[in-house]
């Protein structure tokens, strides 16, 4: 799924995000983690989609309090259990198929902006 920019505002193609979530689910069922790019609110002029500032790895899926969450690891930190593979590293699946959660430090909001395809 990719964000598209229009007049400085981001929007998401819902069909693409649904397809991306289905892909993540399929890969997780096969026991494969999925690398995703996240928008954390900063301006990312250094990449093609202008939204992805950081990459994380989705490693699992769970349901809690009637909501669906995807657990992620953050390989871009040296803080191990505290931040890198903390059990609270969760992205919530929203009704429009967006995956949104907090970064490991809780200071930024992560929105999945792209899903990297695994090589089979």
């Amino acid at each position: 799924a990719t964000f598209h920019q229009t007049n400085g505002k981001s929007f998401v193609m819902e069909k693409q995000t649904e397809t991306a979530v289905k892909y993540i689910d399929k890969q997780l069922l096969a026991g494969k983690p999925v690398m995703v790019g996240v928008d954390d609110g900063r301006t990312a002029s250094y990449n093609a989609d202008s939204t992805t500032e950081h990459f994380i790895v989705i490693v699992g899926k769970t349901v809690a309090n009637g909501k669906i969450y995807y657990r992620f690891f953050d390989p871009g930190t040296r803080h191990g259990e505290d931040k890198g593979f903390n059990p609270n590293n969760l992205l919530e699946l929203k009704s429009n198929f967006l995956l949104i959660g907090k970064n490991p430090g809780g200071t930024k909001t992560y929105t999945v902006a792209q899903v990297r395809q695994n090589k089979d």
Side-chain angles (χ1 to χ4, degrees):
T2 302
F3 280 82
H4 299 277
Q5 298 285 327
T6 303
N7 298 326
K9 295 184 179 181
S10 294
F11 68 95
V12 177
M13 302 294 289
E14 191 167 318
K15 184 66 177 164
Q16 287 181 320
T17 57
E18 180 180 7
T19 300
V21 169
K22 287 179 179 179
Y23 175 79
I24 292 168
D25 288 344
K26 180 180 176 184
Q27 293 300 298
L28 291 175
L29 283 172
K32 298 177 182 179
V34 179
M35 181 184 293
V36 298
V38 293
D39 179 1
D40 67 12
R42 295 177 290 155
T43 301
S45 60
Y46 48 82
N47 60 42
D49 66 12
S50 298
T51 59
T52 302
E53 293 86 29
H54 191 63
F55 287 91
I56 58 176
V57 180
I58 295 178
V59 296
K61 182 177 178 179
T62 188
V63 177
N65 301 319
K67 296 180 181 180
I68 298 171
Y69 295 94
Y70 289 80
R71 182 160 183 230
F72 68 88
F73 289 171
D74 186 348
T77 182
R78 62 186 167 105
H79 296 286
E81 188 174 355
D82 182 42
K83 294 182 180 178
F85 51 94
N86 188 307
N88 294 318
N89 288 355
L90 299 171
L91 301 166
E92 182 181 344
L93 178 63
K94 301 295 187 175
S95 62
N96 59 357
F97 297 101
L98 285 179
L99 294 172
I100 300 175
K102 289 291 186 183
N103 73 318
T107 58
K108 298 176 189 162
T109 299
Y110 281 171
T111 303
V112 173
Q114 64 175 255
V115 175
R116 295 290 175 103
Q117 191 171 7
N118 287 331
K119 296 203 184 259
D120 292 322

